[in-house]
Amino acid sequence: MVNNIEVSNHNFCQWLVHIKLRKIVLLVIIILVGVTFLTYMNLWYVEKDSGITHGAHSHLDLPDESIAFNNYGSHVKDLYRIKGSVSAELRDMEFKRQKLQLEIQSYTKNIDQLKAEMVHQQTELNRLKISVEQAQVAQREALQQNTPELALPHRLVPNNLPEINLPVPALKSTHCRMFSCFDHSRCSLTSGFPVYLYDPDQYPVMNEGWDVDGFLKTTLKQVLGYNPHLTGNPKEACVFLVLVGEALKDTDDVSENVGNHLNLPPLDSKALKRLPFWGGDGRNHVLLNLPRRDLSASAGDVFTSIDTGRAILVQSTFSHMLFRPGFDLIVSPVLGPPGGDVWQECSRMLPARRNYLLSFQGEMKVQPTMSLEKIRDAETSEKSIKYSDLDKFIVGHLKDMTKGTTSDKFYFEFECVPASDDNFHAGPQDWSLCGTDSSRRAFLKESTFTLIFGPGTSDLVSTTLLQARIYEALRSGAIPVILGGDQVRLAYDEVIQWRRVCIFLPRARVTELHFLLRTIPDTDILLMRRQGRLIWERYLGSVQSSLDTVVAVLRDRLNIPPLPADTVAATSVFNETFQPIQVIVGLDTEQDESLGPLEPPYDSPAFRRNYSLMLTQGHEIWNDWGDPFRLYPALPMDPLLSSDAKFDGSGRGFRPIGQGQGGAGKEFSESLGGNNPREQFTVVLLTYEREQVLLDSIARLRGLPYLNSVVVIWNSPKPPSAELRWPEIGAPLHIVKAARNSLNNRFLPLDNLQTEAILSVDDDAHLRHDEILFGFRVWREHRDRIVGFPGRYHAWDINTQNSWLYNSNYSCELSMVLTGAAFLHRHYFHLYWKWLPQAVRDKVDEYMNCEDIAMNFLVSHVTRQPPVKVTSRWTFRCPGCPQSLSEDDTHFQERHKCINFFSKVFGYMPLMNTQYRADSILFKTRIPHDKQKCFRFI
Ligand SMILES: *[C@@H]1O[C@H](CO)[C@@H](O)[C@H](O)[C@H]1NC(C)=O
Ligand SMILES: *[C@@H]1O[C@H](CO)[C@@H](O)[C@H](O)[C@H]1NC(C)=O
Ligand SMILES: *[C@@H]1O[C@H](CO)[C@@H](O)[C@H](O)[C@H]1NC(C)=O
């Protein structure tokens, strides 16, 4: 731009000079001709005036006349000579004039250049001053911090097998709690919670005639193999898992040993005691009984009447007598697939109100079956008869409800049609399931709420049947209403807030049930349904999630931090034999504004909350935005200090503006300010075979304050050309080889991303430094959101009335900020690979498109907030660059399809609208002359 002006200026001068020259020449000619003419005329007149005297001579003095002519001729010649010399002189002067003019021009140009240079040097000086000041502050801080970072103790793991203790008496074991029966010395805080699994084939613990479901055995072994806590070394193990599995009557054996299997309980307590690391009392052993096929109440409990010593019991059916709160663990049956995507199993979340307000399908079976019935003595059976009366009343009342005057619809099936499968028979006095999985699912999909009865007898705290019903209800988005809910406990309730998912009611509330359900507005229905789906997908949906949850809950009890989240190793495209050529690039004329100190790379502090995170934010991590299975270096939701703390004892790392006094543009540009300690950001650039465009983009980052490093993801299988000259930008530059060409790579959780703030940019994005820094500063106040420049929105297709359209037109509402130029937290890179269903990433690969939409879905889903758009951009695409792949029509068509597909996967539309755009505070504000705006232009 500046160059252009200069060039045209120059042309203009030339033109002026040209014009002048022509004029002068014309003038000179006119003058010369004029002078000659005048002289001639003069002479003529002189002759005429003297004509009277000459007249006589004229005839007489011919020779005189010729002499006169000769005189004239020489005179004219003289005049010509004079003319010649005058014009030569004029030409000479003109030439000199031109030269002087050119000199003046070049001097003014020089002056301008020097002035610009001075401004630039002044800015540079200021920047250096700030940098020095900041470095001094950092140094002072380092000195004041009298202790080095706390050194991590060595990983403390036991190096011995459990010693043999005397078995605890059965009576004592019924009072087991963590403090009395668990050996904490095997599980130090820094141990990483190693878990040992007894191979169920090598150490069978089931009695003859009973067997662990084969599918479950292989699946469990396999999915536990993916759990990072699993260890093959029993010496270092904190807990020992014993797979008891679902107790299925081995049907082949039944025919031969009918009497035998009826007498024997499923679990062989002698086999338990023979386990090599049982240590006499089974401490730190976890007996896993995960039901899968038999959902009846009676078969769910395998531990009654068995001496399990100090082992922790994990199953779905517990009596109050057997269950030891805070010690044993209630789980949901493992009804899902082994692992992988489970979203297809779930129903859509909308409409909030479905066809039936409330539904129930079940049949009361008062059919005594074996094991539990034997244990229950006469007094409980008396109680159960009483409950049975209450149940009769309840059923009667529910039937009356259907005949009410409202238009609410109910679906109640108290006798199964067709008759229930024998496999699903209930225990004594319990409701059995009706129909098949898919027939029940069809009704649940149509129900806003679904009724679930608490266990038929009051001595039960949980039954497999109850847990299975919860599982099915959540999967289909029917909100469970548990009558008798004050009696039960649901799976993992020490960490999961079930009140946000289910409605727990005492049986006596049945008369108020209809009233209660009608008062619940759509927002809360959707909130509960969404929460239910979150719990289901995260903790119940697959065998893998169930097992990971069991391990995580036990670990959480001991407040041992999870293992750190996996990162992807960043392999450079360069190696010893292939090194990049780095060159210093010229000054960038854009940067004539001092925007902040140039500092050496400073990584964001990581893993500061290993032992306090789960204490302070455990609830949110389990139930909202968190991932309780892994530890992350930092979270977007990390808490902030109050603003006085940094002046009163916790000031380290903070860079308050004007040292706390505040200030306008000048002071603002000197310190980062804000509510967080100082930090920097990393630029992540995704590139594919556009080398020059990439190099230009990188070069523009030179001298950018707060830049930690630049990570280029090299998506092309071809390595970069050897002769490429990589610009030196004052920050480390990593060129990372991608395993394959995929847009998902934009969000790889690479191990060399050292800051929480990531600026994700397209290789052809052209952002100015002030825009970048303003974006960074805004992001620091919205760390959990996408903060960036190109806004887009999802629009309802009013023609089809059933789908979404992607829209990039001018609009006063937006719902997405594209990651071609946006700041976002590194944590979302992990979630993108870990939490997004694989189907989403597959769709991105299928279309080579939409990864930015997917990220917007993810972040809005996690935060329930729209993205933040910052300031109107001055520059974005580079004008001369080749067309990016995001312009043509198929690109748009694909994006429409992506939006609709993603909302199907999420079960709802997570994107949210916003009308908000962040501009810097003093933008367009009239301020006194001695003050500066926050940024010169934005
Ligand atoms: C280094 O990288 C180049 C280009 O990718 C490759 O051709 C070469 O074999 C590599 N050399 C080594 C030692 O890995
Ligand atoms: C916290 O955990 C991380 C990851 O395991 C580890 O690297 C770091 O040293 C731990 N910090 C402390 C203070 O324990
Ligand atoms: C954007 O606006 C133009 C003109 O108003 C319209 O023709 C076009 O369909 C719009 N694009 C989308 C994607 O809505």
Side-chain angles (χ1 to χ4, degrees), residues 793 795 805-810 892 896:
Y793 63 100
L805 292 173
Y806 172 84
N807 203 313
S808 64
N809 273 350
Y810 284 108
F892 258 86
H896 298 322

Side-chain angles (χ1 to χ4, degrees), residues 202-464:
Q202 207 179 339
Y203 304 106
V205 290
M206 305 300 276
N207 262 323
E208 215 182 308
W210 297 84
D211 202 4
V212 176
D213 175 17
F215 168 84
L216 204 60
K217 239 191 317 201
T218 28
T219 311
L220 282 187
K221 259 178 19 188
Q222 192 187 350
V223 298
L224 263 174
Y226 298 132
N227 192 301
H229 294 281
L230 195 72
T231 175
N233 176 7
K235 279 185 178 173
E236 64 163 26
C238 163
V239 295
F240 300 83
L241 296 186
V242 186
L243 179 58
V244 175
E246 189 173 19
L248 280 187
K249 278 165 251 171
D250 187 337
T251 39
D252 291 343
D253 274 9
V254 171
S255 51
E256 293 162 23
N257 306 314
V258 182
N260 199 6
H261 92 87
L262 274 178
N263 295 331
L264 284 175
L267 197 60
D268 179 0
S269 71
K270 286 204 203 78
L272 278 183
K273 288 183 185 124
R274 279 198 304 270
L275 288 173
F277 319 117
W278 187 258
D281 56 2
R283 60 195 183 281
N284 292 24
H285 277 57
V286 178
L287 308 185
L288 275 179
N289 169 29
L290 300 175
R292 179 169 180 89
R293 277 194 284 172
D294 190 350
L295 305 180
S296 66
S298 56
D301 182 2
V302 293
F303 299 121
T304 353
S305 77
I306 304 281
D307 177 13
T308 52
R310 291 158 87 172
I312 294 174
L313 308 181
V314 177
Q315 60 179 354
S316 305
T317 298
F318 273 108
S319 66
H320 278 293
M321 241 178 43
L322 187 66
F323 183 70
R324 297 159 296 182
F327 191 74
D328 294 325
L329 195 58
I330 299 172
V331 293
S332 176
V334 284
L335 303 174
D341 279 8
V342 288
W343 61 272
Q344 299 102 319
E345 302 274 316
C346 296
S347 305
R348 282 179 61 219
M349 261 180 253
L350 287 164
R353 287 173 193 283
R354 296 168 168 181
N355 194 11
Y356 302 113
L357 179 68
L358 185 66
S359 73
F360 177 78
Q361 279 179 295
E363 190 168 51
M364 180 64 98
K365 287 263 172 89
V366 193
Q367 171 210 74
T369 43
M370 46 154 305
S371 55
L372 270 186
E373 177 259 353
K374 260 196 280 178
I375 307 140
R376 260 170 229 123
D377 47 23
E379 72 175 292
T380 41
S381 57
E382 192 189 291
K383 259 187 229 154
S384 50
I385 289 162
K386 242 167 39 199
Y387 272 117
S388 170
D389 282 345
L390 182 54
D391 280 342
K392 251 183 228 149
F393 170 75
I394 289 171
V395 169
H397 185 84
L398 290 172
K399 281 182 176 159
D400 288 346
M401 244 160 78
T402 58
K403 299 178 202 130
T405 51
T406 65
S407 56
D408 292 335
K409 281 165 77 182
F410 299 90
Y411 180 83
F412 292 133
E413 193 180 312
F414 295 113
E415 270 136 49
C416 297
V417 266
S420 74
D421 190 325
D422 220 9
N423 211 17
F424 298 127
H425 63 191
Q429 252 107 67
D430 210 343
W431 293 93
S432 67
L433 291 169
C434 281
T436 61
D437 181 90
S438 65
S439 75
R440 289 193 298 277
R441 193 192 291 228
F443 276 105
L444 287 171
K445 270 166 72 174
E446 291 292 307
S447 314
T448 312
F449 297 94
T450 186
L451 194 64
I452 294 175
F453 285 98
T457 50
S458 60
D459 61 334
L460 288 170
V461 66
S462 164
T463 63
T464 305

Side-chain angles (χ1 to χ4, degrees), residues 149-153 189-190 561-565 606-611 631-633:
E149 293 279 315
L150 212 60
L152 189 68
L189 280 179
T190 55
L563 294 172
F607 296 112
R608 314 274 285 200
R609 306 174 64 210
N610 291 5
Y611 302 102
L631 186 66
Y632 295 90

